Every structure is written in structure tokens, then in C-alpha cells.
């Protein structure tokens, strides 16, 4: 997929943007520039992590998802709740109440993404045990991290596990089981992810590792929170579905996945800047002795997602109560588990995204790189963002790529104005006598300059 | 031929800055679009060399040169020099202190790792003078 045509959840609402530098400075891939007093997002570089959505005080950065009405496009509707959904509601500690509320909302069936996470876990463990993969193997569950690796750490794409995410697995199993149980064609069934995550919307529109997503819509948790909260409090008919165990629900918390995978040497890192740091170290072969690395773009993992309602830290502590109310403490294996490592394998290569690279022949790229160093050295090095680029180095790159001018730097501009003002004063002084042709004696300085 | 050249000083014992030079070189290689596999080998080699300078040497410098065909990393320090080069090139052999080992370094893989990752590797060392390492990586 051409990076330029990528579909993004994160957008800008132009009229709310004041052109401040908050998002500019926080974007982990330097995908934002301020031009004409407004932020612009460089689409190829955006990984939909939602950092700018969180940091924008004017709410000019928004994460777009499908409206709740998207479910009406299908005759049969299946809800795929992310385990993070369960931790959103104060005083509700039994996930069954939330699942029941989804039925009341109009879904014909609910397939817990946590249950699919158990299948995915099993597939990952088998792959790790039976196949020789470059270590550490990196989780493929967080789509913002996947896009980050494609763009900034392409040498690590071979380390990414080629098993689809729990969301994708849930959509597939959920639809197949529903079709079989009710004898209806799969095309008439829509699967809708109830999402804490903006990047999930983008990854459904532009899948990674597969041609087409099985998910038919992504609904933000924040958009159905109020409705679910009131429905969850009413009478509840007992659920007649296979429930996820604590193993799958724990995927909502950082370390949930790596503990479930069950290898001896694992690591979990959450928060996009921490993730970048870890990826640098993996690239330098410093984590070679680890088996599995779980990387989550959001602090507190999916519980800290930009589309959630509850504070991520509060949600994390509430998950523990939910786990206590969960009946099964171990994975209940069904026949789906047996072939999972084949069935849920990615079908397409995850390609590098070269948007950040210089263009041209190797010689041209080297020359540009040398110019970037030279320009960067001439800039003040304050990384203030006033020029509209996130750092002095980014400005140097923008200048070399023809997107910006040295005078975008206010310090350079200041310097230039001072010089010009000085020259004007000098010019004024030296031409004092020549105004109106009353020049009485030759001006040595001016003559010298003209002679050059 | 177009060449990028830079020299970075490395201070002995300064663990806060350890890794800065290899990170800068890596950033530039990525920007230029050096093939991922080569980029990784250079990163690993340079990082090991930089850590060695910080931990074992009395300070020194890293010279970095990139052309269309190859990347050359030269690491020169001001001593103390390696008494037994053959031993130092053996995997698992290390003179690192316990303090350094507790930080996860000093596994005795530094020099062998550099050699393994580079296409050409040269090392010269004189006790009391210093060590001079050249690594060449073909692009």
C-alpha cells in the first residue's frame, strides 16, 4: 500500500487550530508542521498513535471513527468489545453486565476480543516454540507500533510476529461461528470493533499483513459509553456465550500479552517514547536474549487509548476487580486453537514505509544528508518549533527537501533583520551628502563597493 | 565522489553519553536509506566500539565516513592499549569491572561482535599508547 494513500483516523479541524506548537513537539514521527498559523499532518508519516489528540488543548486534533449507525448496514451485527471496554464503567466489576448491555443495544451477538486474544496467544506461543525466528520476536497487536516500525525501524520487520491481531481473529471467528449456528451467509454479518484505539480504525481501512480486514466498522468506546452505562445497570438475562478467561482479558493491561505467551524471557514497554527507545536498543542488538517483546504505543496500553473515557490508571486498577469476577482462570481450549497458528497467519508481507528517507540516487542522497548537517549546524539548536518544524534538524531537512526556507527560523530572521538594519543605517550615513545631488566629496566606501 | 565525514570525541567513563555517537550515525544512515541489513551491522559495530571507549579506554574518538560504496568507522583511543590482543578477541573474555557488568555490559563480546559485523576489520594496539580499530562495511 502506498503510504501517501493511507487512510487516517487522526485529523485536524482547521478552525479550532491556533497554530501552537504542542502537537508539533509531541508527535513521535515528526509528522506535523505548522504552516500559515495552522497545523498540517504529513499523512505518510502519521501512525495514528493519537498523541496529538491527547495534547491539543483546543481539541483541534480529532480521532475519527465510524458512527454507531454503521451497524445498520448489515442484517446481522456482531459486537467485538476490546477488553479495555470492561474497565470503563465505575462500579461495574462484572464484564457480563457490559456484554449484556451490548446485546440490549441491538447487537445480535457478542464475540469478546479477549477470547480471540487467547487463540492468538496460543498461535504465537506455538510459532515461538516450533519455528526459528530472529529474537526478540515483537508483538504485532498494536497497530501504531507496527506503523512506527515500518517507518523508523524497518530492519526489525522480520522480528514482528506474523500472526494477525486479536481484533482480526475475533471478527473471523465471530462471523464464522454465527454463520454456522444460524445458517446465514457470512456476507450478511457485520463485525464491529468497540475500540479504545484510533489506529485500529486506520488499520481496518488500510490493513497491515492482509489484503482486506474482516472488521466492518470501528466504533469508539467514548461514542457508546453513555448508552452502555445506562443499559448495563438494568435487568440482565444470563449470557449464553463462551466467555473469555482472565488470560484473554489481561491483554488489556501492559504485560498481559507477554505473560500469556508464556516464554521465559519477555519484556513489555508502554508509552510511545519508551517504545521508540526500546526499538533503538533492539536494533543495536541489545535485547537479543529476549524471546518476546510486547510494545504498546499508549501509556497503560489499550486502557490508555485515546478513545477511552476512564483515566488509564484508574482503569488499570479496575481491571483487577473485573478479573476477580471472571469465572475462568485458564484458557478453555476449543478446536479453533489447534490450527490457529496457520489460520491466523498474516497473508501479506509487512513492507517498510520509506517516507522519512531522502530521495534520489545514492550520491544525491549523500549530498542532501551533508547539506542537512551543514544547515543544522548553522541553526540555533533550541528546537523551539517557532519555524513550524518540530526541531532544528527537521527544519534543515525541510529546507533541503524544498518545503521550508532558512528564514522560517525566527533567530535567523532576527539576525538578518539586524544585519539589514545595520546596513541601512550605514547606507543612510554614507549617502547623507549625496541626497539631491549635493555630493561634495567622493565617498570612498561606496566607490569601493561599486568597484567590486 | 560524494563523501560524508565526521569526527566525534568520546569521553572515558561517561555512561550518560554512551551510545550518542552510534545513535547519530544510525539516524543519518536511515535518512540516506542505507540498506537495513548494513545499517544494523554498522549500528551494532559502532555501538560496541563506543561502549568500549567509554568503559575501557582513557577516551578517544570515532571517525565516520560514508561514501556511495562503503561506510568506514575508525575508532582511536588514547590508551591504555590491550596487552593480549588474541585473548581480547576471544568471545566471553573481558576485563570489565563488576560495576560495569552489573549494568549489563562487559560480556566479552565487544571486539568479536565488531569483527563479526564488519566486512573488513583491523585492530592495532600498543600498551601505553592506545588502540586503533578500523571497520569497513560495504553498502
Amino acid at each position: 500500500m502506498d503510504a501517501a494513500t493511507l487512510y487516517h483516523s487522526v485529523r485536524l479541524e482547521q478552525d479550532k487550530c491556533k497554530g501552537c506548537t504542542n502537537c508539533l513537539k509531541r508527535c513521535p514521527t515528526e509528522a506535523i508542521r505548522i504552516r500559515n498559523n495552522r497545523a498540517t499532518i504529513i499523512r505518510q508519516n502519521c501512525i495514528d498513535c493519537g498523541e496529538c489528540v491527547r495534547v491539543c488543548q483546543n481539541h483541534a486534533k480529532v480521532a475519527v471513527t465510524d458512527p454507531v449507525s454503521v451497524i445498520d448496514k448489515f442484517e446481522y451485527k456482531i459486537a467485538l468489545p476490546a477488553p479495555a471496554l470492561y474497565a470503563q464503567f465505575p462500579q461495574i466489576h462484572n464484564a457480563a453486565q457490559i456484554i449484556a448491555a451490548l446485546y440490549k443495544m441491538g447487537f445480535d451477538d457478542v464475540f469478546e476480543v479477549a477470547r480471540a486474544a487467547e487463540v492468538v496467544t496460543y498461535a504465537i506461543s506455538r510459532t515461538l516454540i516450533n519455528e526459528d525466528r530472529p529474537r526478540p520476536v515483537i508483538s504485532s497487536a498494536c497497530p501504531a507500533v507496527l506503523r512506527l516500525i515500518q517507518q523508523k525501524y524497518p530492519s526489525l520487520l522480520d522480528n514482528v510476529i506474523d500472526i494477525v491481531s486479536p481484533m482480526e481473529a475475533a471478527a473471523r471467528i465471530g462471523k464464522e461461528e454465527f454463520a454456522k449456528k444460524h445458517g446465514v451467509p457470512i456476507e450478511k454479518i457485520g463485525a464491529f470493533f468497540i475500540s479504545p484505539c484510533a489506529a485500529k480504525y486506520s488499520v481496518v481501512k488500510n490493513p497491515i499483513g492482509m489484503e482486506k480486514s474482516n472488521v466492518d466498522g470501528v466504533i469508539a468506546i467514548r461514542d457508546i459509553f453513555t448508552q452502555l452505562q445506562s443499559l448495563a445497570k438494568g435487568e440482565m438475562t444470563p449470557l449464553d456465550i463462551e466467555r473469555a478467561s482472565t488470560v484473554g482479558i489481561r491483554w488489556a493491561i501492559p504485560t498481559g500479552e507477554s505473560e500469556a505467551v508464556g516464554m521465559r524471557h519477555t519484556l513489555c514497554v508502554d508509552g510511545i517514547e519508551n517504545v521508540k527507545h526500546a526499538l533503538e536498543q533492539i536494533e543495536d542488538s541489545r535485547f537479543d536474549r529476549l524471546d518476546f517483546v510486547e510494545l504498546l504505543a499508549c501509556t497503560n496500553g489499550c486502557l490508555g487509548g485515546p478513545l477511552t473515557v476512564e483515566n488509564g490508571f484508574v482503569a488499570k486498577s479496575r481491571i483487577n476487580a473485573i478479573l476477580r469476577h471472571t469465572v475462568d482462570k485458564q484458557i478453555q481450549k476449543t478446536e479453533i486453537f489447534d490450527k490457529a497458528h496457520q489460520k491466523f497467519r498474516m497473508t501479506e508481507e509487512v513492507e517498510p514505509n520509506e517516507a522519512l528517507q531522502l530521495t534520489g540516487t545514492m550520491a544525491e542522497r549523500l549530498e542532501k544528508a551533508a547539506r542537512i548537517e551543514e544547515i543544522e549546524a548553522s541553526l540555533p539548536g533550541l528546537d523551539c518549533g517557532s519555524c513550524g518544524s518540530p526541531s532544528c534538524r527537521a527544519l534543515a531537512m525541510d529546507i533541503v527537501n524544498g518545503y521550508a526556507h532558512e528564514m522560517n527560523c525566527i533567530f535567523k530572521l532576527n539576525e538578518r533583520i539586524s544585519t539589514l538594519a545595520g546596513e541601512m543605517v550605514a547606507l543612510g550615513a554614507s549617502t547623507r551628502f549625496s541626497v539631491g545631488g549635493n555630493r561634495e566629496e567622493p565617498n570612498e566606501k561606496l566607490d569601493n563597493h561599486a568597484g567590486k | 565522489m560524494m563523501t560524508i565525514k565526521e569526527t566525534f570525541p568520546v569521553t572515558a567513563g561517561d555512561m550518560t553519553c554512551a551510545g550518542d555517537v552510534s545513535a547519530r550515525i544510525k539516524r543519518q544512515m536511515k535518512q540516506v536509506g542505507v540498506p537495513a541489513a548494513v545499517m544494523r551491522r554498522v549500528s551494532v559495530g559502532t555501538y560496541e566500539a563506543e561502549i568500549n571507549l567509554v568503559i575501557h579506554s582513557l577516551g578517544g574518538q570515532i571517525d565516520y565516513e560514508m561514501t556511495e560504496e562503503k561506510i568506514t568507522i575508525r575508532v582511536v583511543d588514547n590508551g591504555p592499549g590491550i596487552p593480549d590482543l588474541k585473548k581480547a578477541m576471544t568471545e566471553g573474555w573481558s576485563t570489565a569491572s563488576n560495576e560495569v557488568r552489573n549494568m549489563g555490559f562487559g560480556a566479552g563480546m565487544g571486539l568479536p561482535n565488531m569483527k563479526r559485523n564488519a566486512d573488513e576489520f583491523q585492530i592495532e594496539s600498543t600498551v601505553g599508547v592506545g588502540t586503533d580499530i578500523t571497520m569497513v562495511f560495504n553498502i
Side-chain angles (χ1 to χ4, degrees), chain A residues 152-153 155-156 159 280 282-286 357-358 362-363 365-367 369-370 372-373 393 397, chain B residues 2 4 6 24 26-28 30-34 36 39-40 43-44 47 66-68 105 139:
Chain A
K152 288 182 94 91
Y153 308 95
S155 72
L156 298 178
N159 295 57
E280 291 286 344
I282 295 174
E283 218 169 36
D284 293 343
S285 291
R286 293 170 65 187
Q357 276 177 28
L358 295 166
M362 181 65 180
R365 283 177 278 152
L366 277 175
E367 200 172 328
I372 289 172
E373 296 296 331
R393 186 172 178 86
M397 262 165 64
Chain B
M2 185 63 217
I4 291 181
E6 258 181 290
R24 277 195 65 166
K26 185 159 82 174
R27 186 177 67 181
Q28 188 168 67
K30 284 187 185 182
Q31 196 169 50
V32 170
V34 171
M39 185 278 295
R40 259 197 102 171
S43 288
V44 174
Y47 181 76
M66 173 155 56
T67 69
E68 287 170 56
F105 301 101
I139 294 178

Side-chain angles (χ1 to χ4, degrees), chain A residues 186-200:
Chain A
I186 281 220
E187 313 79 67
K188 290 196 172 177
I189 311 168
F192 305 94
F193 183 56
I194 314 298
S195 180
C197 169
K200 283 286 189 199

Side-chain angles (χ1 to χ4, degrees), chain B residues 14-25:
Chain B
D14 186 358
M15 287 306 283
T16 16
C17 295
D20 285 6
V21 175
S22 44
R24 277 195 65 166
I25 293 173

Side-chain angles (χ1 to χ4, degrees), chain A residues 139-252:
Chain A
S139 162
S140 66
C142 176
V145 168
L146 273 188
R147 295 239 192 268
L148 180 72
I149 295 174
Q150 283 180 295
Q151 191 180 119
K152 288 182 94 91
Y153 308 95
S155 72
L156 298 178
L157 283 172
D158 288 342
N159 295 57
V160 174
I161 185 81
D162 52 348
I163 303 284
V164 303
S165 69
M167 173 187 75
E168 279 300 333
R172 265 181 78 181
I173 310 169
K175 282 182 184 181
E176 282 169 13
E177 285 186 355
F178 189 90
K180 208 169 147 193
K181 192 171 164 191
H182 300 279
V184 297
I186 281 220
E187 313 79 67
K188 290 196 172 177
I189 311 168
F192 305 94
F193 183 56
I194 314 298
S195 180
C197 169
K200 283 286 189 199
Y201 176 76
S202 317
V203 83
V204 163
K205 303 283 174 190
N206 293 102
I208 304 175
M210 66 181 72
E211 206 183 328
K212 193 184 173 303
S213 171
N214 288 287
V215 178
D216 301 289
V218 175
I219 300 168
I221 287 179
R222 56 153 197 232
D223 290 346
I224 58 165
F225 172 78
T226 329
Q227 200 183 351
L228 277 184
Q229 195 174 32
S230 54
L231 289 171
K233 281 175 183 159
E235 281 285 300
M236 185 192 135
T237 34
L239 297 173
D240 181 27
I241 59 167
E242 275 181 57
R243 289 289 319 280
S245 75
T246 52
V247 177
I249 295 173
R250 289 196 79 255
W251 266 63

